[in-house]
Amino acid sequence: MQPPAEPFKIKVVEPVNLPSEERRKEAIREAGFNTFLLLSEDVYIDLLTDSGTAAMSDNQWAGMMIGDEAYAGSKNFYNLEKAVLDVLGYKYVVPTHQGRGAEHLMFQHLVKPNQIVPRNMYFTTSKLHVEIPGGKMVDAIIDEAHDPENLHPFKGDMDLNKMQKYVDDYGVEKIAFVSVEMNVNMAGGQPVSMDNLRKLREFCNDYKLKMIYDATRSSENAYFIRERETGYEDTPIIEILREMMSYSDGSVYSSKKDCLVNIGGFLATNDKEIFEATRNMVVIYEGLHTYGGMAGRDMEAVARGLREGTQYEYLKYRVNQVRYLGEMLMEANVPIVKPTGGHAIFLNALKFLPHLEREQWPAQTLAGAIYEDSAVRAMERGAVSKGRDKETGENVFPALELVRLTIPRRVYTNTHMEYTASSIINLYEKRNTIPGLKMVYEPKYLRFFQAKFEQMPL
Ligand SMILES: *Cc1c(COP(=O)(O)O)cnc(C)c1O
């Protein structure tokens, strides 16, 4: 495939440094083979996350200069409110410092002890914010999402049979609400179809259940609907978005992804009761209801970014840049999760390093080896991230042992993608020479952030 042409030109650059081979070897050892512990200045291409790492446009930076930092009634809040109405069709907006602030307010309002929240897979902070008020998140994604080789075009779809089973097994009153994530992060950035949303809405109507989206990656999801779903080939992205949202009772939103900003979030709804309850809580936890933890200038950047992030030419370039990296790897038979999603490429470490035992942490090993080879920073998403079983204390080895290469928006060029692919292909060719790791330090909570490792003899 041809590299996608960028729908922008570059006005400001930030120099990056490629450390020497000697320094890379030293740096990854100092970091205990944990890419979270590398210093950013030792990284050449940073593919750790797409969260808060986007490059803003000149229009967004100009908006930062007209930040109205009034404590109450900032004009930037009303610009944000207008942008949410125009793009997503919600009339009520509660601003928050980032996505998890919105989850906190929304879920504290909707979840009662011992209730369940079915969702298409899960997200770390969302799951926790369902658990804090005493609820439990349960999986209702289609089976295809759990198979890295399956080419289903909408691997983010909810399984209505699983939904029916939750209703039958638990009873409607035990379901707090139905949670639907757009372009499911943990499944590899896989979209939900409009058809599925429509059917789920009918299902929720039948049982009088509320349907709340995690709309964080809804613009990228809308792009996939236009690309793959019959009837939407020529539909403007904003129309697709508004139809998607029209099936919901509200959304939580982390602006750090599709809104092309470095910080921010909000929740939005047309349901007056949800709005009044959450607007009441926002003043306790985040800030006044016209800033919610964001500076006026940040709200302006979010308002402009929300609109910009729905431009078709931009989304086409964005999704195709991720795809370009994926195609280069697939051409060289490097095992990745298929089809390529919206924001990241996931390497299948069990297939990449079949000579390693699970206890030798293949994904952790591979992320370290990629850094050592090229100073590209990736992230482990496998057994180290999964942690230990709460009851038995044993390591849990999930079916998927992956390395995530997450692409920041508008930040890296296609040549950076080529550089990344060629390093990984080079490693794949000499994969038998990559030694596994031994965990030598294990923190009690969220161990993947701070665990340390040493190389074992091959
Ligand atoms: C990032 C993210 C969140 C949390 O948002 P923050 O802005 O990091 O607090 C919630 N849901 C999804 C799907 C995300 O990707």
Side-chain angles (χ1 to χ4, degrees), residues 3 22 70 135 156 191 197 202 207 209 228 297 305 317 319 346 375 438:
E22 198 188 342
L197 294 176
E202 283 169 20
Y207 292 105
L209 288 167
R228 297 179 183 168
R297 55 180 174 271
Y317 145 79
V319 168
F346 289 76
K438 177 171 78 181

Side-chain angles (χ1 to χ4, degrees), residues 51 98-101 103 119 123 125-126 181-182 185 214 216-217 254-257 264:
S51 179
Q98 58 186 85
R100 70 199 67 182
E103 291 172 338
R119 173 154 165 152
F123 184 73
T125 58
S126 324
E181 182 181 330
M182 298 299 133
N185 189 349
D214 182 328
T216 297
R217 290 187 181 73
S254 166
S255 311
K256 300 174 71 175
K257 287 86 171 195

